[in-house]
Amino acid sequence: MRVYNEQFPKVIPSLQETRVIPYIKIHEKTVLKRLDMIPDEDVRLSLAKDRLSSADFASLISPSASAFLPQMRNKASALKRMHFGKTVRIYAPLYISSYCINNCLYCGFRTANRKDVRKRLSLPEIRAEGMAIRKLGIDSLLVVSGEDPRHISISFLAEVVKELKKLFSYVSLEIYPLDPGGYETLFNAGAHGLTIYQETYDRKLYGHLHPSGPKMDYDYRLEAPARAAKAGFYNIGIGALLGLHDWRSEAISLAAHASWLRKKFWKSKIQFSFPRITPVGGGFEVPAPVSEKELEQMMLAFRICFPECDITISTRESCRFRNRIVQSCANLMSAGSSVVPGGYSSSSRGKLGQFGKRDVRTVKAVEHDLRKIGIEAVFKDWDKCLGA
Ligand code: SF4
């Protein structure tokens, strides 16, 4: 069975229809119906292959494949070992501002949320945070900010990157989408990775969840990873916020997006993240909850079909799940994270976090637990001289 044409990574930049999977020309309903019809035999055949197609990816995320998780784990583990050895790279996020002019209904930083518990760090405070993170042994940093362009401008971000590059070998960004010139400025300042989640690939739902602010522009966000790759960013992180929409539909869209990016920007490496919504207060009800088993099936399918790509697992997930998933899928994980600006160097009590954490272990405890399962924690796999 072929779910979509082998030419599927076909961009449709001005796609106006709702419920059509971006980057492929097929209606979501058709795709989901076909996934439901995939028989066990197709899953077995896909698992026996060395080179998997987009149709095999569909088999592995199908309802039938949920009965094949042990076989999928075995195949994914072998591929993870082949491409990354028995290692996982550790990084930490540094939140520099919890102000945001957007109003994403699922996020603790949304503009409608309380203002009195927000914080924006100055350059000296960012340096202090960086030094506190460095003391934990972390050498790879992800700088995170809400959309706060008056204060967290491109020129300020460039200063931040230059300052943090004095402390860290690798600096990446998770910020609002920029024009090509903005990405070039930050790449030239020393940032080498960019993460930008589409949140949901479903255009109609996206409009509902982002009722105000610049983030309302679906296409501008969808095309941001391509603009960053064009500016030279080596690592491009993409993903959907799981729990907003049917996870199988999001998986198909994410795979199509990644395939298109890989084909067009082969010098950049794709990094997948699979963040599940965690409660932050404010009464947002998760519309399409994703179970741990479904999350694992999705991650295994990505590891098997995109074996050389990075897969990240954050502290949103429990330590039990993280310890399991680094053996089969994830080669990147955050540790000792604070999701509050100033959370590493000062007390963050009462301050607003972007999401809740399930794994609150220290970096040392994470390293210790990884060693117990035969995995080496890698703190440095990038040098400042690279890409200088
Ligand atoms: S998800 Fe990002 S853009 Fe949306 S409110 Fe939160 S910080 Fe702002």
Side-chain angles (χ1 to χ4, degrees), residues 193-239:
L194 180 91
T195 294
I196 185 153
Y197 303 141
Q198 187 59 24
E199 318 295 16
T200 174
Y201 285 91
D202 185 292
R203 186 181 292 268
K204 195 172 176 185
L205 179 66
Y206 185 96
H208 168 72
L209 293 168
H210 306 103
S212 62
K215 198 168 170 179
M216 290 167 77
D217 191 338
Y218 177 98
D219 289 310
Y220 189 63
R221 193 171 186 86
L222 186 68
E223 291 156 10
R227 292 196 295 277
K230 203 168 179 184
F233 277 80
Y234 299 123
N235 295 311
I236 303 290
I238 56 174

Side-chain angles (χ1 to χ4, degrees), residues 313-317 322 334-337 339 355-359:
I313 187 78
S314 80
T315 50
R316 288 174 188 259
E317 299 303 330
R322 293 195 340 138
S334 50
S337 306
V339 294
F355 59 83
K357 291 183 300 175
R358 291 194 178 98
D359 185 350

